[in-house]
Amino acid sequence: MPTASLLAYQPHDHDRCVVRAMQRAQSLCDAKGARLTPMRKRVLELIWQSHQALGAYDLIAALLQEGSKAAPPTVYRALEFLQETGLIHRIASLNAYIGCSVHKGPHMSCLMICKQCRNVQEKAHPELEQLLLQPAVLGKFLPEQSVVEITGLCPACQKAPIDCPTKD
Amino acid sequence: MPTASLLAYQPHDHDRCVVRAMQRAQSLCDAKGARLTPMRKRVLELIWQSHQALGAYDLIAALLQEGSKAAPPTVYRALEFLQETGLIHRIASLNAYIGCSVHKGPHMSCLMICKQCRNVQEKAHPELEQLLLQPAVLGKFLPEQSVVEITGLCPACQKAPIDCPTKD
DNA sequence: TTGTAAATGTTATAACATAACACTTATTTC
DNA sequence: GAAATAAGTGTTATGTTATAACATTTACAA
Ligand SMILES: [Zn+2]
Ligand SMILES: [Zn+2]
Ligand SMILES: [Zn+2]
Ligand SMILES: [Zn+2]
């Protein structure tokens, strides 16, 4: 039986992921008094098309495809908004973006990035948070943001080294 | 008394850091049968000028300054070599590079990046390594590389919010 | 409805990184 | 030692990611 925490690497009803993500986005914006404009909403939907990380220029291409005028600043502004709102994460080691799947407040999470299928699984990680923020570890360093990214092979790609079955 | 592990944020005899780093580089290359050419050596020295992260184009500018012909490919090739040899780390969240200060073999380390003075402290972290690589955490994900970067304020910059005293 | 702030459009450019191929230098083999 | 081979660097061009600056539009409030 598939674990919920490995959803990104399993065939699953992805429409539910999308619906949940968009509902959460709307209510989070409502709660914060932020505006989920059509552009921001569309960018978020595009990001949630799959569990694969998308680059900013992938998004621009997709928007142009569907007739929207989308120059880089437009998309980068949407991405910035979505990040600040906690709806997406930027993946530093890929220069790409992924929907946040941890439905909690601010959290330190670990991103597991399959180098082959590019699917990304986010894992909330209280222990990691604890461990990383211990004074014993950081000394007198005052942490603000963290990037924890593990690159490797997802379960599916370990079995099928050439083409990973879970493309969505 | 300054802890060895927070050297980057303390005034210290940085020449010793440089000497140690260059000695280690030479012996590591000798051991591996790799060639620490003048270009590679100079790039490594430039990176070790300080504990601040340097971008590739900072290095290019520095090399041009000193009369060396240095187009991007040259520097990126040196950086690639130094990374593979384990002498430097790339900081994904900054697009910048820092000398490795953990004198061991391959290691998973945590980089503490001061957002103000840009000084970077590397901390080797066996516990983190253990924690991150636990099956309980990663499931059946097969890890290969990890990026752990914490951005915040170093001890010095917490005290002097405008200009950090440890610029070297 | 008119003023204000927020969001988006538009143009240009900055910052980071690599492809492709020529040339030079070091190392091996004969 | 000379020729062959491999490793490293030079050079030109271009690809990829991201932002600056300013004009215009849209949403909301007074
Ligand atoms: Zn899904
Ligand atoms: Zn998240
Ligand atoms: Zn030092
Ligand atoms: Zn290191």
Side-chain angles (χ1 to χ4, degrees):
Chain A
M1 170 182 176
T3 337
S5 60
L6 288 177
L7 209 54
Y9 305 135
Q10 306 278 350
H12 65 281
D13 180 1
H14 185 60
D15 288 344
R16 287 191 55 206
C17 296
V18 177
V19 169
R20 257 197 314 175
M22 298 314 293
Q23 284 177 345
R24 178 182 170 233
Q26 191 61 67
S27 53
L28 220 156
C29 287
D30 289 351
K32 288 195 179 186
R35 291 170 51 202
L36 191 61
T37 63
M39 177 61 74
R40 291 165 176 176
K41 190 174 176 184
R42 188 64 194 128
V43 167
L44 185 59
E45 283 169 353
L46 286 170
I47 288 176
W48 271 104
Q49 270 182 340
S50 77
H51 292 275
Q52 289 172 264
L54 278 187
Y57 281 74
D58 295 332
L59 293 166
I60 292 168
L63 287 168
L64 290 177
Q65 201 82 30
E66 50 190 55
S68 167
K69 290 173 185 176
T74 301
V75 170
Y76 278 101
R77 284 188 285 231
L79 290 171
E80 190 185 11
F81 170 86
L82 294 169
Q83 269 185 274
E84 283 169 355
T85 316
L87 294 169
I88 65 172
H89 294 289
R90 179 172 191 275
I91 303 175
S93 53
L94 285 182
N95 296 327
Y97 303 83
I98 193 80
C100 173
S101 55
V102 174
H103 294 207
K104 293 176 189 170
H107 53 275
M108 178 178 286
S109 61
C110 170
L111 298 177
M112 290 178 272
I113 305 159
C114 180
K115 68 175 180 180
Q116 192 166 282
C117 67
R118 217 177 150 94
N119 278 329
V120 177
Q121 175 67 58
E122 176 175 4
K123 181 139 174 77
H125 212 312
E127 296 156 300
L128 179 65
E129 208 154 338
Q130 265 195 318
L131 180 62
L132 278 186
L133 302 185
Q134 275 175 16
V137 173
L138 294 185
K140 292 183 179 172
F141 188 88
L142 180 67
E144 294 188 1
Q145 286 185 301
S146 74
V147 171
V148 179
E149 298 169 10
I150 314 283
T151 302
L153 281 178
C154 78
C157 287
Q158 287 171 55
K159 289 173 197 160
I162 303 307
D163 48 14
C164 173
T166 42
K167 287 295 185 192
D168 69 327
Chain B
M1 170 184 176
T3 337
S5 60
L6 288 177
L7 210 55
Y9 305 136
Q10 306 277 352
H12 64 281
D13 181 0
H14 185 60
D15 289 344
R16 286 191 57 207
C17 296
V18 176
V19 169
R20 256 196 316 174
M22 298 313 294
Q23 284 177 346
R24 179 183 170 233
Q26 191 60 66
S27 55
L28 219 155
C29 286
D30 289 350
K32 289 194 177 186
R35 289 170 52 202
L36 190 61
T37 63
M39 175 62 72
R40 291 166 175 176
K41 190 175 176 186
R42 188 65 193 127
V43 167
L44 185 58
E45 283 169 352
L46 286 169
I47 288 176
W48 271 104
Q49 270 182 341
S50 76
H51 292 275
Q52 289 172 264
L54 278 187
Y57 280 74
D58 295 333
L59 293 166
I60 292 168
L63 288 167
L64 289 177
Q65 201 83 28
E66 49 187 59
S68 167
K69 290 175 186 176
T74 301
V75 170
Y76 277 101
R77 284 188 285 230
L79 290 170
E80 189 185 11
F81 170 85
L82 294 170
Q83 270 185 273
E84 283 169 354
T85 316
L87 294 170
I88 64 172
H89 294 289
R90 179 171 192 274
I91 303 176
S93 53
L94 286 182
N95 296 327
Y97 303 83
I98 194 80
C100 173
S101 54
V102 174
H103 294 207
K104 292 174 190 171
H107 53 275
M108 176 178 288
S109 62
C110 170
L111 299 177
M112 291 178 269
I113 305 159
C114 180
K115 67 175 180 179
Q116 192 166 279
C117 67
R118 217 176 149 95
N119 277 330
V120 177
Q121 174 68 59
E122 176 175 4
K123 181 138 174 79
H125 212 315
E127 296 156 300
L128 179 66
E129 205 156 344
Q130 264 195 320
L131 179 61
L132 277 184
L133 302 185
Q134 275 173 17
V137 173
L138 295 184
K140 292 182 179 170
F141 188 88
L142 181 67
E144 295 189 1
Q145 285 184 301
S146 74
V147 172
V148 179
E149 299 170 9
I150 315 283
T151 302
L153 281 178
C154 77
C157 287
Q158 286 171 54
K159 290 173 195 160
I162 302 308
D163 48 15
C164 175
T166 41
K167 288 295 186 191
D168 68 325

